[in-house]
Structures are given as C-alpha cells and as structure tokens.
Amino acid sequence: MRHLARLAEYCSITNMHTKNLAIVWAPNLLRSKQIESACFSGTAAFMEVRIQSVVVEFILNHVDVLFSSKLSSVIRDGAGALW
C-alpha cells in the first residue's frame, strides 16, 4: 500500500492519482468470490468493485496514519488490555 501511495505522489507525471490506482488495484487487493461467481449480474459486480475502489482509495489517502508504528502500538496495547 505504501508503494501505491508513493506512486500517487507522481500523479502529475503519470496521471495515476489515488482514485485511478484504486480503480486498477482494488479488484486484486480486495478480491471477492461473490463477484467471480455466476450469480452476480453486471450491475451488481460493478457496484461491488466500486465499493472496493473507494476502500482502497481511502487507504491510499491515509496510508501514513493507518500503517504508522504509533497506531500499531496503540492497537497492540489496546488488544493486550482486552485479553
């Protein structure tokens, strides 16, 4: 994810903004067996991929916060308190 976020920094050269990267990479990063099954119509599959791309775009826009060592320690300490 950090790599894709870094690629987005060069969007002025590549035209691959976080939204474009999310559209391309979301189906691979958030693969859905439901979409691959025959029961999903074209419209339903499109909506599912749209949701995936929004999630990946959010992650790319907040990669520094979501994957920071500070957040990891808070999660780890909080999880330890539950056990």
Side-chain angles (χ1 to χ4, degrees):
M1 293 308 272
R2 287 182 194 267
H3 176 70
L4 293 177
R6 190 147 187 236
L7 285 175
E9 293 175 9
Y10 296 96
C11 63
S12 61
I13 299 167
T14 64
N15 201 31
M16 291 302 284
H17 305 273
T18 54
K19 184 173 188 161
N20 292 344
L21 289 166
I23 290 168
V24 171
W25 282 97
N28 293 306
L29 295 172
L30 301 175
R31 187 173 212 123
S32 172
K33 290 182 181 180
Q34 291 176 334
I35 291 175
E36 294 173 359
S37 70
C39 67
F40 258 63
S41 68
T43 304
F46 175 77
M47 292 305 296
E48 184 76 17
V49 170
R50 175 74 180 120
I51 292 167
Q52 290 173 340
S53 69
V54 168
V55 170
V56 171
E57 183 180 4
F58 177 84
I59 292 169
L60 291 176
N61 286 327
H62 299 91
V63 73
D64 291 335
V65 174
L66 294 171
F67 296 101
S68 73
S69 58
K70 191 176 200 178
L71 181 62
S72 296
S73 66
V74 167
I75 291 170
R76 184 181 56 243
D77 294 344
L82 295 174
W83 302 108

